[in-house]
Each structure stands twice: as structure tokens, then as C-alpha cells.
Amino acid sequence: MSAGVWAVLVAAGRGERLGGKRPKAFANLAGRPLVAESLERLDASPWVEAVVVAAPADWEEPTILLAEELGAGSVRAVVTGGATRTDSVRAGLAEVPADTAAVLVHDAARPFLPDEVVERVVTALGEGWDGAVPALPLADTVKRAEGDVVGETVDRAGLHAVQTPQAFVAEALRRALAGEGEATDCAGLVEAAGGRVRLVEGDRRLLKVTTPGDLAFVETLLAAKR
Ligand code: CTP
Ligand code: MG
């Protein structure tokens, strides 16, 4: 199912929790903009035919230049992202040709993207699912609290932390995003539209860079890899 898979890389967030002068996608990670990691990995993936990047407003040009510098020939469009993640996915999806079979959506905030995970989510689509998402079962005990006061311990059976890249049958994703709906991930909207979404094995290295500490941790992962 490698033919006909387009990736939408959402990189348009401001990175408020990270802080810093630039948007998170352009935060310095081991000497390069954070978005360079996932862009390079999507470009190199045999499962991905073409890539659309949703960039922060006023960062479209630097994003195009970065793609050129990386020699990322599969980048077909750089669009301006929206006010929310879902809007940024909508903007990217608008550039995906109508006859595309499947769409992969990935957070630029997750720089370490193992190709095995791309393979797992794309392969699952070939088995008849509307969507496939990488997930890790929760290992820690889960508590609901108000501030720092514990209200209750939540039964963690069946609970998973869900990551990106998430793969969807293009038509199912378009339908799910057609309204005004908002969700923290695309699968949430596909589920709400009645789509059947499957969990595949996630990867700890796919952690999302949210705080400066996460950035430092991902740098150690990258250093170990090189
Ligand atoms: N994203 C986006 N457009 C938005 C908001 C988020 O493309 N309007 C993207 C981010 O660039 C990121 C992913 O969605 O790759 C996950 O979002 P998150 O980690 O929350 O990033 P930010 O919104 O940038 O960070 P913060 O919430 O701390 O401001
Ligand atoms: Mg955010």
C-alpha cells in the first residue's frame, strides 16, 4: 500500500509550553530546527509518496528553504496552518489530491519517527480499518485529581497513550474533518464520525516535545542513534 500515501506534517503550533522566541517546529534540536527530523524521516520513508507541511504563519518560506536544504524531494506543498491542530490538518489535507488512497498525519513535535511505526499504521489500513494509530498501554497507576488533590484512582485496564503518525483511509479522514469538529488527534474525529480505528504498537521514542526538558531528552536519543 505504499503507492498513494500522502503525509500531512503539522508544524504550525506556537509551542507555548516550550517557550522560546520561535515556534516549536523551529526550536533548536541538536543544531537543526526540530521539524527537520520528522521531515527527513517522512521523506526517506518508502511508505510515503508525498508530504504536505502545515507551517506557522510567516514561517512558510523558511519551511520551504529547509525542505530544499534537506533535499526532501517528496515535499509537494507548504501551507499556512490554522488556529488549532485540527485546522492545520484541514489546511494540509486540502493539498492532498482527491485520488489519494491514504493519509498519514504526523506531529512535527514528535521528531523521532521510526519507520517501523509508519509501516505498522499503513499496513493496518490494508487490513480494512478506517484508521490506525500507534499506542502504548499505560504502565503507571492513573489518578484523577483537582490541582494536587487526588479525587480517585482510575482503572487503567484498556487505557492507552496514543501517538502519531496516524494513518487513515483518505475518504474517512476527509469526511471526519468536513465539519467544524475539534479533537486533540485526528482519530478522535474519525471515531466520532463512526470510523473503525485500530491500535498498533507505538514506540517510546515517539514522545512529543512539549517542555524544554523533553527537548533535552530527545537530543540524547538522537545522539545515541548517530
Ligand atoms: N499544531 C499545528 N497547528 C496548531 C496547533 C498545533 O500544526 N494550531 C501542531 C504542532 O505544531 C505540533 C502538533 O500539532 O506538531 C501537536 O501540538 P502541540 O504539541 O500542542 O504543539 P503546540 O501547540 O505548538 O504547543 P503548545 O500547545 O505548548 O503551544
Ligand atoms: Mg498545542
Side-chain angles (χ1 to χ4, degrees), residues 9-18 24-25 54 81-89 106-110 208-210:
L9 179 61
V10 284
R14 293 167 55 169
E16 276 173 11
R17 289 167 289 180
L18 186 62
K24 183 156 72 182
T84 64
R85 182 185 186 277
T86 309
D87 281 340
S88 295
V89 177
H106 184 62
D107 291 332
R110 301 179 193 270
K208 186 162 72 141
V209 171
T210 305

Side-chain angles (χ1 to χ4, degrees), residues 136-139 163 202-208 217 221:
L136 294 171
L138 294 186
Q163 307 172 317
D203 194 306
R204 302 235 167 258
R205 293 168 297 179
L206 268 169
L207 87 152
K208 186 162 72 141
F217 183 61
L221 283 180

